[in-house]
């Protein structure tokens, strides 16, 4: 999978790659100036810029944003510390990657640090050639040695990159501008392409000394401003409370096709606020947050009635998305013995009443999610057939029998009797698993202990979405609670899998590949910080993931993905929630916005610019009111 590190919330998740078409690999001596897992290599056509951007967008102004919690590090690549806003493990605003994933074409990347790449027919390696113009902010050239050093350090110290690039045996600098990545396998079509996602770090800076003469340590958090190569650099900060980024005026890649008309704000100020409700109030008053991606349907429908909105100074828009829909749900942590019985997980799924929540809380704005590949041809539907059925029959004795005879369906609460029906079925499943209701409590027949679930949250608004579900679970005797903790504690507990159940969200790739090992692989289940939140350890799942990774054509990939989807659904690792086919954004009326936005990702906030007249008018108006 290829994930774009874009804006917060769903827009960040939506930029994922589609399916490779099984086209011929490049010749070993053929340099490619674009990377695609869909179009035949070398035939993606000329790329001058994204067609939706304004190439003449003015530069200037300040984008104000709110970040929740706090921060204590400018090193986003290690487990220790909480990274500052503007950074992520693909580089963020500070570090460029070898190539940039397209915002308009799934599974396509265009040159950034690397101007071209090539790989042999068996996909056993990949060679990237660095653009001779590529520079660090101190003016020194980006070299192949930087790339080699980066990969070695990230694989050693960054859990995310250790898994993402796990098949890379070594990186070798062939010359100052060429680096070869050698893989531990052949036939994996995705490997040569995902190397373009590697952020490149300056070896000379990290191996140097700070202002006090101390040698820098990549393994530790730092609040020293790091040297970068990207469109912004850190201008100033207040530890834990504010970070200000400044646009690099002589940014070496400003005129590359992927950057034309983008990164238009001179400054980006992130102000830290402790909780989401306070962030909402800050947005309504102006000055701290200019753009808000709204994920609360009730708020979207009922709370945009504050003075600035009524005056037209704040605008609401919905941006349709064209990619896969996210999987959002309650993750059941199967590392806990109480969740290891599939019947228990199915019972908990039956108790979730989406229809009432959608009607009473969400103004019927959502659709139920019933696939890990929602909205794509990779989603399992009906009964298994054809090649998917052949794959599943290889594991028939290890799969639920009903997987082959029944279409997977989530409960539908469409009449007043539905709750009684589904809760009765849930109690029956608990009974089959060795539990029974005694004195109104769901009790283990062996130990006499009551079944308990603690949901973990990081915002008071979690009570709204979790409350109805907890009420239903209490009706069948489960002792349920919701623990709200601060964002930093929340991140650490999730990283260490210290929870019973937690709401989570991700977009599965339309071109699934190596990342599936991290989502569902048994090895990832015990690695802190991995995305296998449910703790899945199933040899069948592992085998299906490998079939996806080594699929040789589209038909095989689709069949294997559907098989994996079906197995995950029938094992009830997540209690699926809901999705909407658009991104809701509210913003203060200070921006110029291209007439259209990328259909694939829905929105590209980097293509917006600040209109000086609008910004000045807002500043004058609200300065006079305060």
């Amino acid at each position: 999978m290829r994930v774009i590190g874009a804006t917060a919330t769903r827009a960040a998740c939506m930029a994922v790659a589609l399916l490779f078409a099984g086209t011929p690999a490049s010749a070993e001596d053929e340099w490619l100036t674009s990377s695609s897992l869909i179009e035949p290599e070398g035939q993606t056509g000329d790329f001058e810029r994204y067609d939706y951007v304004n190439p003449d967008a003015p530069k200037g102004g300040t984008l104000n944003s709110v970040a929740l919690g706090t921060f204590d590090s400018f090193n986003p690549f290690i487990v220790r510390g909480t990274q500052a806003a503007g950074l992520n493990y693909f580089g963020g605003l500070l570090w460029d990657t070898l190539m940039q994933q397209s915002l308009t074409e799934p599974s396509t990347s265009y040159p950034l640090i690397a101007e071209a790449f090539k790989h042999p027919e068996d996909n056993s390696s990949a060679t990237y050639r660095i653009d001779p113009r590529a520079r660090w902010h101190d003016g020194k050239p980006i070299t192949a040695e930087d790339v080699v050093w980066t990969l070695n350090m990230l694989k050693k110290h960054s859990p995310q990159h250790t898994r993402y690039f796990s098949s890379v045996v070594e990186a070798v600098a062939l010359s100052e501008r060429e680096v070869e990545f050698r893989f531990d396998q052949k036939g994996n079509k995705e490997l040569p392409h995902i190397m373009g996602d590697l952020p490149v770090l300056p070896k000379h800076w990290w191996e140097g000394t700070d202002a006090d003469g101390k040698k820098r340590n990549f393994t530790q958090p730092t609040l020293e401003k790091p040297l970068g190569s990207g469109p912004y650099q850190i201008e100033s900060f207040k530890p834990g409370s504010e970070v200000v980024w400044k646009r690099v005026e002589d940014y070496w890649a400003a005129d590359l096709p992927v950057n034309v008309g983008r990164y238009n704000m001179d400054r980006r100020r992130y102000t830290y606020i402790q909780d989401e409700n306070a962030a909402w109030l800050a947005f309504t008053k102006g000055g701290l947050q200019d753009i808000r991606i709204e994920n609360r349907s009730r708020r979207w429908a009922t709370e945009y009635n504050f003075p600035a909105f009524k005056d037209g100074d704040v605008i609401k828009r919905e941006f349709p998305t064209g990619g896969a829909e996210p999987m959002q749900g309650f993750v059941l942590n199967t590392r806990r013995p109480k969740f290891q019985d599939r019947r228990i997980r199915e019972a908990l799924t039956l108790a979730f009443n989406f229809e009432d929540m959608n009607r009473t809380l969400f103004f019927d704005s959502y659709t139920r999610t019933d696939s890990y590949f929602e909205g794509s041809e990779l989603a399992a539907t009906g009964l298994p057939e054809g090649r998917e059925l052949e794959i599943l029959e290889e594991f028939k004795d290890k799969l639920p029998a009903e997987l082959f005879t029944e279409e997977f369906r989530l409960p539908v609460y469409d009449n007043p009797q539905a709750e009684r029906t589904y809760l009765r079925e849930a109690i029956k499943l608990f009974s089959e698993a060795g539990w029974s209701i005694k004195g109104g409590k769901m009790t283990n027949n062996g130990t006499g202990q009551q079944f308990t679930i603690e949901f973990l949250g990081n915002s008071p608004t979690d009570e709204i979405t979790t409350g109805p579900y907890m009420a239903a679970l209490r009706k069948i005797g489960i002792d349920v609670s919701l623990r709200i903790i601060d964002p930093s504690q929340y991140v650490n507990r999730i990283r260490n899998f210290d929870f019973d159940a937690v709401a989570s969200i991700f977009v599965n790739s339309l071109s699934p590949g190596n990342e599936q090992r991290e989502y569902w692989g048994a090895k990832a289940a015990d690695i802190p910080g991995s995305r296998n939140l449910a703790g899945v350890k199933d040899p069948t799942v592992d085998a299906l993931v490998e079939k996806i990774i080594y699929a040789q054509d589209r038909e095989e990939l689709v069949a294997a993905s559907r098989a994996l989807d079906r197995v995950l659904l029938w094992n009830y690792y997540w209690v699926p929630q809901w999705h909407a086919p658009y991104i809701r954004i509210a913003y203060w009326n200070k921006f110029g916005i291209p007439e259209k936005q990328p259909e694939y990702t829905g929105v590209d906030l980097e293509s917006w610019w600040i209109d000086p007249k609008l910004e000045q008018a807002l500043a004058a108006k609200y300065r006079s009111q305060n």
Side-chain angles (χ1 to χ4, degrees):
M1 183 184 75
R2 319 286 302 287
V3 180
I4 295 177
T7 58
T9 192
R10 188 162 170 265
C13 299
M14 289 304 300
V16 293
L18 193 60
L19 176 69
F20 57 77
T23 54
S26 63
E28 190 163 1
D29 59 350
E30 180 184 357
W31 287 102
L32 304 171
T33 55
S34 64
S35 167
S36 176
L37 292 173
I38 302 174
E39 299 294 335
E41 290 185 321
Q43 298 182 30
T44 55
D46 294 335
F47 175 60
E48 297 180 358
R49 62 175 174 84
Y50 292 120
D51 62 1
Y52 61 86
V53 303
N54 174 8
D56 301 316
K59 308 294 185 182
T62 297
L63 174 64
N64 299 295
S65 301
V66 161
L68 295 180
T70 186
F71 74 93
D72 59 11
S73 179
F74 294 136
N75 183 353
F77 304 110
I78 59 175
V79 172
R80 290 190 58 197
T82 301
Q83 67 194 36
L87 298 170
N88 59 50
Y89 58 81
F90 283 107
L93 301 174
L94 186 60
W95 295 288
D96 282 334
T97 50
L98 285 173
M99 301 185 80
Q100 184 189 99
Q101 293 187 40
S102 173
L103 298 174
T104 58
E105 302 164 271
S107 194
T108 299
S109 295
Y110 290 108
L112 194 51
I113 288 177
E115 64 178 3
F117 85 114
K118 64 181 180 179
H119 62 87
E121 187 174 356
D122 64 2
N123 299 298
S124 60
S125 66
T127 302
Y128 279 74
R129 188 175 69 204
I130 296 172
D131 190 319
R133 298 168 293 179
R135 292 288 185 275
W136 300 109
H137 292 157
D138 64 2
K140 294 183 179 180
I142 299 175
T143 68
E145 284 295 335
D146 289 315
V147 178
V148 172
W149 183 88
T150 298
L151 181 70
N152 291 338
M153 294 301 286
L154 293 183
K155 286 199 65 177
K156 185 176 181 180
H157 301 294
S158 169
Q160 294 88 352
H161 293 91
T162 298
R163 295 183 293 273
Y164 197 69
F165 299 119
S166 61
S167 295
V168 185
V169 176
E170 63 176 338
V172 179
L174 303 180
S175 68
E176 186 176 3
R177 291 178 48 216
E178 291 185 18
V179 58
E180 181 180 83
F181 301 102
R182 297 168 183 171
F183 308 136
D184 62 2
Q185 56 194 261
K186 299 179 181 180
N188 187 332
K189 291 175 178 285
E190 191 180 36
L191 283 178
H193 296 263
I194 67 172
M195 299 315 303
D197 298 333
L198 179 71
V200 183
L201 307 178
K203 176 184 177 182
H204 71 279
W205 189 87
W206 284 101
E207 290 189 341
T209 57
D210 61 20
D212 296 326
K214 293 183 59 178
K215 186 175 177 58
R216 298 184 178 98
N217 187 346
F218 184 79
T219 68
Q220 299 298 316
T222 179
L223 284 176
E224 182 185 9
K225 302 175 188 177
L227 177 67
S229 63
Y232 289 88
Q233 59 187 349
I234 299 169
E235 181 179 49
S236 63
F237 66 96
K238 298 175 183 177
S241 62
E242 181 185 83
V243 181
V244 179
W245 293 81
K246 180 181 179 181
R247 185 172 60 84
V248 178
E249 293 188 6
D250 60 350
Y251 173 40
W252 76 270
D255 296 326
L256 288 184
V258 292
N259 291 330
V260 172
R262 306 180 69 234
Y263 302 113
N264 300 313
M265 287 70 165
D266 271 355
R267 283 177 175 77
R268 304 164 75 121
R269 175 179 287 105
Y270 292 91
T271 301
Y272 277 80
I273 293 180
Q274 288 302 308
D275 65 76
E276 205 278 336
N277 283 335
W280 162 248
L281 293 175
F283 174 72
T284 65
K285 295 179 179 179
L288 292 182
Q289 186 177 23
D290 298 328
I291 301 174
R292 178 181 175 85
I293 300 176
E294 186 58 73
N295 59 3
R296 303 292 180 184
S297 56
R298 174 177 289 274
R299 176 172 289 158
W300 189 254
T302 65
E303 296 184 34
Y304 279 81
N305 52 16
F306 49 92
F309 179 77
K310 291 180 178 179
D311 289 347
D313 295 327
V314 170
I315 298 172
K316 292 197 311 182
R317 285 183 62 179
E318 293 179 348
F319 295 87
T321 56
E325 300 297 341
M327 163 56 84
Q328 177 175 309
F330 292 113
V331 184
L332 304 176
N333 188 357
T334 62
R335 300 171 187 82
R336 303 278 204 260
K338 58 188 171 185
F339 295 123
Q340 290 175 359
D341 192 311
R342 187 179 73 94
R343 293 168 295 188
I344 296 296
R345 302 194 299 270
E346 180 180 0
L348 297 176
T349 301
L350 290 174
F352 185 73
N353 185 343
F354 163 74
E355 284 72 24
D356 273 3
M357 291 181 67
N358 197 33
R359 176 176 54 83
T360 60
L361 298 178
F362 308 139
F363 299 85
D364 287 321
S365 61
Y366 290 124
T367 300
R368 187 75 191 272
T369 300
D370 58 4
S371 170
Y372 290 89
F373 298 93
E374 185 70 34
S376 79
E377 66 176 333
L378 305 181
T381 58
L383 295 176
E385 58 183 15
R387 179 58 183 146
E388 180 197 352
L389 178 59
E390 293 176 2
I391 292 172
L392 290 170
E393 285 180 336
E394 297 179 33
F395 312 97
K396 192 167 187 176
D397 60 339
K398 300 177 182 178
L399 296 173
E402 57 266 40
L403 179 149
F404 295 92
T405 60
E406 300 177 23
E407 180 178 0
F408 180 84
R409 293 184 182 276
L410 292 169
V412 178
Y413 285 72
D414 56 357
N415 60 68
Q417 292 75 42
E419 181 180 63
R420 179 175 297 180
T421 298
Y422 289 123
L423 293 185
R424 187 184 299 118
E425 290 181 22
I427 292 171
K428 180 181 178 182
L429 287 167
F430 265 97
S431 177
E432 293 173 2
W435 298 77
S436 58
I437 297 179
K438 298 177 181 178
K441 299 179 179 180
M442 183 64 72
T443 305
N444 185 281
N445 294 336
T447 65
Q449 294 181 333
Q450 184 179 8
F451 196 97
T452 64
I453 302 177
E454 180 188 82
F455 289 89
L456 192 65
N458 64 353
S459 169
T461 55
D462 288 328
E463 298 175 4
I464 297 174
T465 54
T466 308
Y469 185 34
M470 293 196 300
L473 294 174
R474 291 188 182 108
K475 291 180 180 180
I476 58 174
I478 297 176
D479 180 11
V480 192
S481 61
L482 171 64
R483 181 184 291 270
I484 304 294
I485 57 179
D486 68 67
S488 295
Q489 286 182 300
Y490 180 83
V491 169
N492 287 328
R493 287 190 59 173
I494 297 299
R495 181 182 290 161
N496 293 296
F497 312 121
D498 184 14
F499 61 88
D500 283 349
V502 66
S504 188
I505 182 172
F506 76 98
V507 174
N508 217 330
S509 176
L510 296 180
S511 177
N514 298 293
E515 85 292 339
Q516 298 298 310
R517 291 172 177 156
E518 185 178 350
Y519 284 161
W520 317 115
K523 291 183 179 179
D526 295 326
I527 300 176
S530 88
R531 289 180 285 181
N532 187 352
L533 295 182
V536 179
K537 289 185 175 181
D538 184 338
T540 299
V541 170
D542 285 344
L544 291 174
V545 166
E546 295 306 300
K547 286 184 178 293
I548 289 173
I549 291 172
Y550 290 100
Q552 292 302 302
D553 54 39
R554 180 179 179 82
E555 180 182 359
E556 185 70 10
L557 181 63
V558 171
S561 299
R562 290 176 177 174
L564 176 64
D565 188 33
R566 198 178 300 272
V567 170
L568 293 174
L569 290 170
W570 277 102
N571 275 288
Y572 299 98
Y573 295 115
W574 289 44
V575 180
Q577 294 178 344
W578 50 77
H579 66 272
Y582 48 77
I583 302 168
R584 293 178 293 225
I585 294 184
Y587 57 91
W588 282 80
N589 187 22
K590 60 185 280 187
F591 297 99
I593 303 174
E595 290 185 7
K596 68 173 184 175
Q597 288 286 280
E599 294 180 1
Y600 177 53
T601 54
V603 66
D604 175 17
L605 297 180
E606 302 297 351
S607 70
W608 295 21
W609 65 92
I610 292 177
D611 185 313
K613 292 182 179 179
L614 292 176
E615 184 178 43
Q616 291 169 11
L618 284 177
K621 178 177 179 178
Y622 287 89
R623 195 163 46 237
S624 65
Q625 292 181 4
N626 291 332

